[in-house]
């Protein structure tokens, strides 16, 4: 698949909350990084099966239903295997008119076999925390959202 086809399938998997459909887009040895990790997310998944298990746990444990992925802007790069996509994920929570929006940016590298080889997934940590039902204190700093810092590795 081309990088744009991968992106479309990636967004479909997000809307469907399908960890299997998402993981099947990855090469066996792919790396998925979260440079701005949200509470409950590790700094990265290594390999297709970690992607599958990680998203199965995250999406399976979340009450959020993705209702829309909007404001998508795709940036082509000098490397045809690399695509950058900005987006806003809109989700609904159980309850009257409960919605959450999570802006994000994906940097996708597709290998020669048409699979994701490397993903850098930048998402709004406060938005993710709200979507997962974690309150964010009024005085929280971005550092408070990380369970681990790079120094912990």
């Amino acid at each position: 698949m081309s990088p744009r086809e991968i992106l479309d399938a990636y967004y479909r998997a997000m809307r469907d909350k399908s960890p299997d459909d998402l993981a099947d887009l990855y090469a066996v040895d792919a790396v998925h990084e979260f440079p701005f990790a949200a509470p409950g997310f590790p700094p990265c998944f290594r390999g297709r099966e970690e992607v599958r298990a990680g998203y199965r746990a995250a999406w399976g444990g979340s009450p959020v239903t993705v209702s829309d992925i909007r404001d998508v802007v795709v940036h082509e790069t000098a490397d045809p295997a690399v695509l950058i996509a900005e987006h806003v994920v809109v989700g609904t929570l159980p309850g009257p008119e409960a919605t959450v929006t999570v802006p994000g940016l994906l940097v996708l590298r597709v290998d020669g076999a048409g699979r994701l080889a490397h993903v850098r997934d930048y998402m709004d940590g406060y938005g993710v925390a709200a979507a997962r039902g974690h309150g964010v204190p009024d005085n929280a700093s971005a550092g408070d959202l990380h369970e681990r810092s790079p120094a912990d590795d």
Side-chain angles (χ1 to χ4, degrees), residues 51-153:
V51 169
R52 188 181 318 276
Y55 275 97
R56 180 168 284 124
W59 289 343
S62 173
V64 174
T65 299
V66 175
S67 58
D68 194 16
I69 300 172
R70 65 175 188 219
D71 302 331
V72 175
V73 178
V74 178
H75 303 276
E76 304 273 339
T77 70
D79 183 342
V82 176
L83 195 67
I84 301 168
E86 301 175 66
H87 57 262
V88 175
V89 177
V90 180
T92 57
L93 292 158
E97 300 183 36
T99 62
V100 62
T101 59
V102 180
L105 183 137
L106 293 168
V107 180
L108 308 176
R109 176 176 295 281
V110 177
D111 67 15
R115 301 243 183 227
L116 287 169
H118 190 221
V119 173
R120 290 184 58 90
D121 190 345
Y122 298 87
M123 58 188 146
D124 171 22
Y126 288 116
V128 171
R132 296 185 71 218
H134 299 289
V136 179
D138 290 338
N139 64 349
S141 70
D144 294 333
L145 289 177
H146 296 280
E147 290 189 342
R148 302 170 38 165
S149 72
D152 295 333
D153 289 342

Side-chain angles (χ1 to χ4, degrees), residues 6-58:
I6 291 276
L7 179 62
D8 290 343
Y10 191 104
Y11 285 152
R12 262 192 315 279
M14 286 175 65
R15 279 190 295 274
D16 296 342
K17 287 176 71 172
S18 175
D20 291 325
D21 289 349
L22 183 68
D24 290 346
L25 299 172
Y26 286 76
V28 171
D29 59 349
V31 175
H32 186 122
E33 296 179 287
F34 300 99
F36 302 142
F41 271 81
C44 76
F45 296 134
R46 296 196 180 279
R48 178 188 301 152
E49 296 313 313
E50 274 193 27
V51 169
R52 188 181 318 276
Y55 275 97
R56 180 168 284 124

